[in-house]
């Protein structure tokens, strides 16, 4: 099991009481920067189609920048509709002539090889993920990259066992899968999409998000090195129109999307009335619920993990806190203390808890929501940890005692902003937690097993964590209810999305 928000933070003793002055003084940690010396980045990346690197037909490229420094990292090819068509054709040919003819055992060997190659180059992947996306190196090193390798290992194991996954049923691959992924877990989302597709015998055209294409392109290098037959995986880079070209291509059999609810709805409309199979993993506004009998310190750490680390760029982030009245003051005070001692800054520093917001657009979105919170008259607490002056950094923020009807409670912010509400009874909190258009995840903190089981059955959320938060494992399925999307990724359930059963 991996914790999306490395447990290492808990080991740091963050403050000491200076008895003379009776005030809290932070320990200063010496900088511990990860090096960039071992990574190899080209100045310019082309499209990976049919096993070759090809120039975009329109000749256009865009910059990928480091959001922590605003420096350019590389130029990325901007794929046109014609390039997408070329990629889909390559995927179709590879499907018909090679991949659909291989046994599951043979497919599995390639997928295992990709998993091992990711492990071998884990450090390089972690550094590039952090440079391109802004997340703290601790996260990419301990969570993103190992989990990505694990997903390939896990699904490699299923490739020759599909008939055991669905006993007495006939299973068949779908064909060409078009996959579009977001910027919050770039390599991990690519793994979530590619690994089950290949295990089930499909070929792939994948588009990473425009702000974080680099690790998907590095993955293409690994795919080349693995000897995977040409055209089985194609990586096309670009903006939303490139994604739309994949969705609308008539020869794509399956569309898998993770991203915003708005784009999810556009895709759902585009696919309606076609034979394309669709899975959507969209936004969330997940509730973290603390009862009076909960282990409070552990719960506070869980809340911090759930929303503040990874800059709140997690679709299942615990962005709404519900705390039972009797412990509300204690929880909020402990939360504020913990927030004041988080380290925000250089994502490449191994001490950093909170890195950079992924892009200027997302940074502006988060600031906009905090402004709305202020205009609504909510009590707002911004942590007073120091923040670098350059780059897109956002302080962890609490919106206290906020009304259920507030925009901040209703809409996904996708940043380190936590709304705090109190409750008295179990029924009240179930009602409040479920009162959202989303239903991706929830967390419950209590000493009582009976309360946990009561809530897991009544909360409308795809995942409910008990006395922990944001734990992931390739074996367990993930996905949402309502506007959080449909279909499950991960585990045996994740196979169904890529099979005719
Ligand atoms: P987005 O949904 O626009 O982007 C996700 C992916 O979809 C990117 O690869 C993008 O290029 C592609 N895309 C955009 N328009 C498309 C279209 N019409 N057809 C096909 N593909 C298209 O997300 P964005 O704008 O980066 O973030 C906006 C908000 O979405 C965030 O503030 C957050 O609330 C939410 N979000 C949710 C994520 C999740 O994991 N559920 C991940 C990223 C963002
Ligand atoms: Mg970038």
């Amino acid at each position: 099991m991996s914790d999306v928000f490395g447990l290492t933070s808990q080991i740091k003793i963050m403050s000491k009481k200076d008895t003379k002055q009776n005030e809290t003084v932070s320990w200063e940690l010496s900088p511990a920067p990860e090096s960039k010396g071992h990574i190899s980045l080209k100045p310019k990346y082309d499209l990976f189609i049919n096993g070759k690197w090809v120039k975009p037909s329109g000749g256009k490229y865009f910059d990928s920048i480091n959001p922590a420094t605003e420096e350019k990292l590389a130029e990325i090819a901007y794929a046109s509709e014609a390039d997408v068509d070329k990629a889909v054709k390559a995927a179709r040919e590879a499907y018909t002539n090679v991949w659909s003819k291989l046994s599951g055992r043979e497919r599995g060997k390639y997928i295992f090889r990709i998993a091992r190659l990711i492990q071998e180059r884990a450090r390089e992947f972690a550094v590039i993920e952090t440079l391109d996306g802004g997340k703290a190196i601790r996260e990419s090193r301990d969570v993103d990259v190992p989990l990505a390798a694990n997903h390939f290992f896990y699904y490699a194991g299923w490739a020759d066992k599909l008939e055991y996954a669905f006993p007495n049923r006939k299973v068949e691959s779908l064909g060409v899968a078009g996959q579009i992924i977001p910027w919050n877990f770039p390599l991990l989302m690519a793994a979530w999409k590619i690994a089950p597709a290949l295990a089930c015998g499909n070929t792939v055209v994948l588009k990473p998000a425009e702000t974080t294409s680099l690790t998907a392109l590095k993955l293409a290098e690994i795919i080349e090195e693995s000897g995977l037959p040409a055209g089985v995986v194609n990586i096309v880079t670009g903006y939303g129109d490139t994604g739309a070209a994949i969705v609308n291509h008539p020869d794509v059999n399956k569309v898998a999307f993770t991203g915003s609810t708005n784009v999810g709805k556009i895709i759902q409309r585009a696919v309606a009335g076609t034979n394309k199979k669709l899975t959507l993993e969209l936004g969330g506004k997940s509730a973290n619920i603390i009862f009076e009998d909960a282990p409070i310190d552990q719960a506070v750490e869980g809340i911090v993990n759930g929303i503040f680390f990874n800059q709140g760029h997690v679709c299942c982030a615990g962005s709404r806190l519900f705390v039972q009245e009797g412990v509300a003051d204690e929880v909020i005070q402990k939360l504020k203390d913990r927030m004041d001692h988080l380290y925000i800054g250089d994502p490449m520093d191994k001490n950093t808890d909170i890195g950079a917001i992924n892009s200027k657009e997302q940074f502006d979105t988060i600031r906009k929501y905090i402004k709305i919170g202020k205009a609504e008259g909510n009590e707002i607490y911004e942590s007073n940890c120091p923040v670098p002056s350059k780059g897109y950094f956002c302080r962890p923020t609490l919106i206290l005692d906020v009304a259920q009807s507030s925009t901040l409670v209703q809409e996904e912010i996708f940043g380190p902003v936590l709304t705090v509400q109190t409750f008295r009874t179990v029924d009240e909190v179930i009602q409040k937690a479920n009162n959202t258009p989303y239903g991706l995840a929830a967390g419950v903190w209590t000493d009582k097993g009976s309360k946990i089981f009561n809530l897991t059955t009544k909360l409308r959320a795809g995942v409910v964590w008990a006395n922990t938060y944001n734990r992931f494992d390739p074996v367990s399925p993930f996905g949402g209810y309502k506007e959080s999307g449909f279909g499950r990724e991960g585990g045996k359930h994740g196979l169904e999305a890529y099979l005719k059963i």
Side-chain angles (χ1 to χ4, degrees):
M1 281 285 208
S2 293
D3 188 332
V4 162
F5 306 107
L7 294 169
T8 39
S9 67
Q10 296 184 20
I11 306 165
K12 272 189 252 162
I13 305 299
M14 305 298 289
S15 63
K16 62 174 180 179
K17 270 277 197 247
D18 184 322
T19 39
K20 266 189 212 143
Q21 291 165 14
N22 197 25
E23 61 180 21
T24 302
V25 184
S26 288
W27 292 104
E28 283 297 326
L29 294 176
S30 308
E34 171 60 279
S35 83
K36 299 186 257 188
H38 56 91
I39 67 166
S40 105
L41 271 185
K42 294 189 280 191
K44 207 176 203 181
Y45 281 89
D46 290 321
L47 307 166
F48 185 67
I49 297 176
N50 207 16
K52 294 189 193 70
W53 294 93
V54 300
K55 300 214 171 311
S57 61
K60 280 199 245 168
Y61 291 82
F62 58 94
D63 293 346
S64 202
I65 67 148
N66 176 344
T69 60
E70 300 172 48
E71 282 161 5
K72 173 172 158 180
L73 291 166
E75 282 174 37
I76 312 286
Y78 194 156
S80 65
E81 216 179 304
D83 297 318
V84 168
D85 184 51
K86 208 189 283 177
V88 173
K89 283 200 171 105
R92 173 61 57 194
E93 269 181 35
Y95 176 74
T96 312
N97 302 331
V98 189
W99 200 241
S100 64
K101 291 186 173 157
L102 285 187
S103 66
R105 190 153 170 265
E106 288 305 310
R107 289 201 307 274
K109 281 188 199 167
Y110 287 107
I111 308 170
F112 274 124
R113 206 175 294 158
I114 294 169
R116 282 193 301 270
L117 287 166
I118 295 175
Q119 277 188 326
E120 275 171 27
R121 286 167 65 175
R123 197 161 156 227
E124 185 186 8
F125 269 95
V127 168
I128 295 173
E129 199 73 303
T130 285
L131 290 174
D132 200 17
K135 65 170 64 187
I137 186 73
R138 202 182 68 209
E139 305 268 338
S140 36
R141 179 197 63 199
D142 297 349
V143 181
D144 295 60
V145 178
L147 266 181
N150 283 351
H151 267 268
F152 279 103
F153 276 122
Y154 175 74
Y155 281 108
W158 274 119
D160 62 350
K161 301 175 194 68
L162 297 176
E163 61 268 44
Y164 302 103
F166 306 99
N168 303 321
R169 311 280 297 274
K170 195 168 154 347
V171 295
E172 253 179 81
S173 56
L174 299 172
V176 176
Q179 309 180 319
I180 296 153
I181 57 172
W183 41 260
N184 54 342
F185 290 89
L187 178 70
L188 184 58
M189 287 301 114
W192 276 31
K193 298 275 183 282
I194 296 174
L198 297 187
C200 294
N202 306 279
T203 57
V204 165
V205 176
L206 175 124
K207 191 196 88 65
E210 49 271 34
T211 55
T212 54
S213 307
L214 287 175
T215 45
L217 293 162
K218 297 301 283 186
L219 183 61
E221 289 179 5
I222 278 187
I223 285 166
E224 232 181 337
E225 205 182 323
S226 74
L228 190 77
V232 173
V233 173
N234 305 274
I235 311 277
V236 292
T237 42
Y239 283 76
D241 52 342
T242 309
I246 297 176
V247 171
N248 295 322
H249 197 290
D251 204 27
V252 162
N253 304 101
K254 149 91 192 177
V255 174
F257 172 79
T258 300
S260 63
T261 301
N262 280 346
V263 173
K265 286 179 179 170
I266 294 173
I267 292 178
Q268 193 168 15
R269 276 195 292 273
V271 166
T274 71
N275 281 328
K276 291 171 192 170
K277 192 164 171 164
L278 176 66
T279 38
L280 297 174
E281 203 263 275
L282 309 175
K285 196 72 189 174
S286 301
N288 222 339
I289 302 168
I290 303 192
F291 286 97
E292 282 166 357
D293 57 10
I296 299 296
D297 290 336
Q298 197 183 323
V300 166
E301 199 55 35
I303 301 161
V304 169
N305 282 347
I307 182 71
F308 295 140
F309 292 168
N310 205 355
Q311 305 76 248
H313 291 347
V314 189
C315 48
C316 53
S319 52
R320 291 182 298 150
L321 172 63
F322 293 97
V323 48
Q324 205 163 13
E325 268 181 13
V327 289
D329 290 345
E330 183 189 356
V331 167
I332 291 163
Q333 190 51 52
K334 285 190 164 167
L335 196 52
K336 287 178 176 173
D337 290 345
R338 184 69 179 92
M339 286 161 67
D340 288 344
H341 292 92
L342 291 170
Y343 283 77
I344 298 194
D346 182 4
M348 288 285 279
D349 192 311
K350 293 169 200 154
N351 298 318
T352 296
D353 295 307
I354 304 181
I357 302 300
N358 181 266
S359 64
K360 168 112 184 23
E361 290 73 39
Q362 190 59 30
F363 181 74
D364 292 342
T365 302
I366 298 167
R367 301 306 312 171
K368 178 195 83 185
Y369 276 112
I370 294 175
K371 247 194 190 154
I372 294 176
K374 285 181 182 158
E376 279 180 356
N378 297 297
E379 184 191 340
I380 293 186
Y381 182 79
E382 281 184 295
S383 87
N384 51 37
C385 41
V387 170
S389 54
K390 210 171 154 60
Y392 315 126
F393 292 93
C394 185
R395 286 199 169 84
T397 303
L398 298 179
I399 317 287
L400 291 153
D401 219 359
V402 59
Q404 183 70 24
S405 57
S406 163
T407 314
L408 285 87
V409 171
Q410 293 299 325
E411 294 183 13
E412 182 178 46
I413 301 172
F414 228 62
V417 180
L418 176 67
T419 62
V420 183
Q421 296 170 269
T422 57
F423 68 93
R424 284 190 187 159
T425 67
V426 175
D427 288 339
E428 179 190 353
V429 77
I430 290 171
Q431 217 174 33
K432 281 183 171 167
N434 284 339
N435 180 5
T436 161
Y438 295 109
L440 201 50
V444 181
W445 300 83
T446 169
D447 206 19
K448 283 235 169 6
S450 57
K451 245 184 235 164
I452 292 171
F453 286 117
N454 183 20
L455 265 79
T456 48
T457 50
K458 291 186 182 142
L459 289 172
R460 297 289 293 161
V463 181
V464 181
W465 283 290
N467 294 324
T468 187
Y469 206 85
N470 267 338
R471 292 223 169 220
F472 283 94
D473 189 284
V475 174
S476 51
F478 184 81
Y481 283 98
K482 300 189 276 187
E483 291 203 4
S484 291
F486 49 79
R488 294 291 178 264
E489 294 184 286
K492 205 178 79 177
H493 297 71
L495 296 168
E496 286 175 39
Y498 290 95
L499 290 170
K500 247 179 270 167
I501 302 176

